[in-house]
Amino acid sequence: MSAPSTPHINPQGAPIAETILLPGDPLRAKFIADTFLEDAVQFNSVRNMLGYTGTYQGRELSVMGTGMGIPSIALYSWELIHVFGCTRLVRIGSCGGLTADLALNDLVLAQAASTDSNYLAQFDLPGTWAPTGSFRLLNHVHRAAEDRGIPVHAGNVVSSDTFYHAQDDTTERWARMGVFAVEMETAGLYANAAAAGVEALAMFTVSDNLVTHEKMTPEQRQTGFGQMIELAATVTEL
Ligand code: HPA
């Protein structure tokens, strides 16, 4: 039997772990493999969407880029789940804060992901479905953050198809419904995971705040990111 491959992932027989970390940027995936994984092997280079498998504290862990936006994370996560058997998918990214109390570098866990995307329409439900993260993963990471004294917020984020909005009050209107951060992928990931009966969680560091207009420096981005990777990797303990 030939080794499984898809239009976007061609491991040529290299393993992919059941637990996978999913940064948006493929170079982040390479950085994570180089810095945090032992014995990492590269399993994907199609379209430069780099993916690696290695071990983290003795447990198998993969990491792969997803690109930006719901269409991109949706196709990669679909293939990872349905063709390569991933059962725990953890997005690690950045988000914009929609309330003033979200400080730069704070950690956000997406309990739920509202969206302006039409991706959910394909599931043809008789109402409005709520994309929700795995409580087991969320609870585990939340506890790990608290144990380490890392400020953490969990709640409803919005996965938006637009980074630049035509209307000035777009994010403000979400904030009025208690949505406290914006990013561009999670609702698609949560929908695919739910439809397949697997676990997913998305976590972010706050890279900018749309209310206070603060922005991270490149150095700040790096520190916050390292801390988040270590927290995300704790799901391998489950
Ligand atoms: N919008 C969407 N995604 C983001 C943002 C933003 O302002 N900041 C970080 N990721």
Side-chain angles (χ1 to χ4, degrees):
M1 206 176 77
S2 60
S5 73
T6 64
H8 311 101
I9 304 173
N10 184 14
Q12 298 179 300
I16 302 181
E18 280 195 39
T19 303
I20 187 160
L21 305 186
L22 300 171
D25 178 354
L27 290 178
R28 280 264 159 97
K30 179 172 172 18
F31 171 80
I32 292 166
D34 290 345
T35 317
F36 292 88
L37 296 185
E38 283 174 31
D39 305 320
V41 292
Q42 189 173 334
F43 72 78
N44 196 48
S45 61
V46 179
R47 290 178 184 247
N48 281 332
M49 199 54 86
L50 308 174
Y52 304 84
T53 300
T55 60
Y56 180 79
Q57 297 180 347
R59 292 177 286 264
E60 206 182 36
L61 180 63
S62 290
V63 57
M64 182 177 149
T66 64
M68 286 183 282
I70 287 177
S72 190
I73 197 168
L75 72 87
Y76 288 112
S77 60
W78 194 96
E79 293 175 0
L80 289 167
I81 294 166
H82 292 278
V83 180
F84 300 104
C86 293
T87 56
R88 276 187 285 193
L89 298 94
V90 182
R91 163 162 157 67
I92 45 180
S94 62
C95 68
L98 300 183
T99 59
D101 66 324
L102 232 56
L104 297 185
N105 234 346
D106 275 4
L107 181 72
V108 168
L109 305 182
Q111 186 180 359
S114 303
T115 190
D116 56 23
S117 156
N118 203 36
Y119 188 76
L120 305 179
Q122 65 179 314
F123 298 98
D124 198 22
L125 291 157
T128 307
W129 185 73
T132 311
S134 154
F135 181 74
R136 195 170 81 109
L137 299 188
L138 184 130
N139 191 38
H140 188 80
V141 171
H142 194 268
R143 281 173 190 230
E146 285 194 328
D147 288 350
R148 291 164 166 76
I150 297 169
V152 57
H153 311 262
N156 198 355
V157 307
V158 58
S159 305
S160 179
D161 275 353
T162 49
F163 188 88
Y164 302 104
H165 314 290
Q167 308 296 332
D168 289 341
D169 64 347
T170 302
T171 51
E172 225 174 277
R173 289 169 69 184
W174 286 108
R176 276 188 234 133
M177 279 300 281
V179 172
F180 71 139
V182 57
E183 53 83 65
M184 303 186 75
E185 292 81 17
T186 301
L189 174 66
Y190 283 2
N192 280 0
V198 301
E199 294 179 291
L201 177 67
M203 50 201 286
F204 323 99
T205 50
V206 178
S207 60
D208 51 281
N209 189 300
L210 281 72
V211 180
T212 62
H213 303 293
E214 290 174 292
K215 271 190 184 25
M216 263 193 188
T217 62
E219 299 79 55
Q220 282 172 314
R221 277 177 190 260
Q222 212 55 59
T223 342
F225 202 73
Q227 206 174 51
M228 179 168 56
I229 294 158
E230 283 173 17
L231 283 174
T234 65
V235 305
T236 56
E237 293 161 9
L238 289 167

